[in-house]
Amino acid sequence: AQTIHQWPVAEIKAVGSPLSLGCTIKGKSSPNLYWYWQATGGTLQQLFYSITVGQVESVVQLNLSASRPKDDQFILSTEKLLLSHSGFYLCAWSPGTGGNAEQFFGPGTRLTVL
Amino acid sequence: GDSVTQTEGQVALSEEDFLTIHCNYSASGYPTLFWYVQYPGEGPQLLFRASRDKEKGSSRGFEATYDKGTTSFHLRKASVQESDSAVYYCALGANYGNEKITFGAGTKLTIKP
């Protein structure tokens, strides 16, 4: 069975500080990987996706970046946090390509920027 | 660009009531349509999806029919239970070779016992 793990579970950071969030998928080789952001009480906004190691596509610009250093790992980061970065960050994986495959979401990371 | 509109931001019902959550979309071609459910503090999970006109998706008593004519994918359930309380998202995935998924604003469903 496939499992998806996100770390940390929650973060409280200061404006202007750096951030790194991680996501690991076990039990599935070469998954498609995604990052989503969800403001409190808001919808899910797709941020990045990756089909293969080393390749990441940006969907929206929020002063964030993403990298896929290994087949099973997806990293979201920024050098300088803004207040607007607060929210719930979700990593997801999909077994197929194209927009018609089910996405499996991780438990999320709650980020508070003060 | 692609878009998904959910009419109801919040719905409050009693147990055994009939549920309808409206979802309309705008996209070219034949996108895949999804309904996801999210419980507090968790990531969303798929209820079901549909990829063709008139295709019906269903799970756990929920159902929706893909209607290309009215560009709709309304979620329905004949008799809701308290455990159905959650946020429901309609989503759209393009079928033309990219990975972009567009979610609607979400509908918070509260069921009173």
Side-chain angles (χ1 to χ4, degrees), chain A residues 34 38 42-43 46 98-100 103, chain B residues 32 36 38 49 89 94 99 104:
Chain A
Y34 308 82
Q38 187 175 35
T43 190
Q46 193 181 54
N100 58 355
Q103 301 214 341
Chain B
T32 294
Y36 281 88
Q38 185 176 28
R49 60 182 168 175
Y89 291 96
E99 304 294 319

Side-chain angles (χ1 to χ4, degrees), chain B residues 33-84:
Chain B
L33 302 175
F34 306 84
W35 276 104
Y36 281 88
V37 58
Q38 185 176 28
Y39 299 98
E42 299 181 6
Q45 51 188 274
L46 181 72
L47 264 180
F48 52 80
R49 60 182 168 175
S51 301
R52 300 181 304 277
D53 191 23
K54 305 300 183 236
E55 181 179 355
K56 182 173 158 180
S58 64
S59 175
R60 312 184 208 175
F62 293 91
E63 62 180 40
T65 301
Y66 192 133
D67 190 329
K68 187 167 171 61
T70 59
T71 60
S72 66
F73 194 54
H74 305 318
L75 182 68
R76 294 187 168 92
K77 187 174 185 182
S79 177
V80 295
Q81 303 301 313
E82 191 176 357
S83 58
D84 293 329

Side-chain angles (χ1 to χ4, degrees), chain A residues 15-73:
Chain A
V15 169
S17 62
L19 174 76
S20 181
L21 304 180
C23 171
T24 298
I25 290 83
K26 296 300 182 188
K28 174 65 181 174
S29 64
S30 304
N32 292 347
L33 299 175
Y34 308 82
W35 277 113
Y36 288 84
W37 171 73
Q38 187 175 35
T40 302
T43 190
L44 293 105
Q45 173 66 63
Q46 193 181 54
L47 301 176
F48 300 93
Y49 64 84
S50 171
I51 295 173
T52 190
V53 174
Q55 288 189 8
V56 176
E57 299 294 329
S58 172
V59 178
V60 293
Q61 292 294 331
L62 288 179
N63 291 305
L64 295 167
S65 60
S67 64
R68 186 170 178 177
K70 295 191 259 188
D71 185 56
D72 64 352
Q73 195 173 81

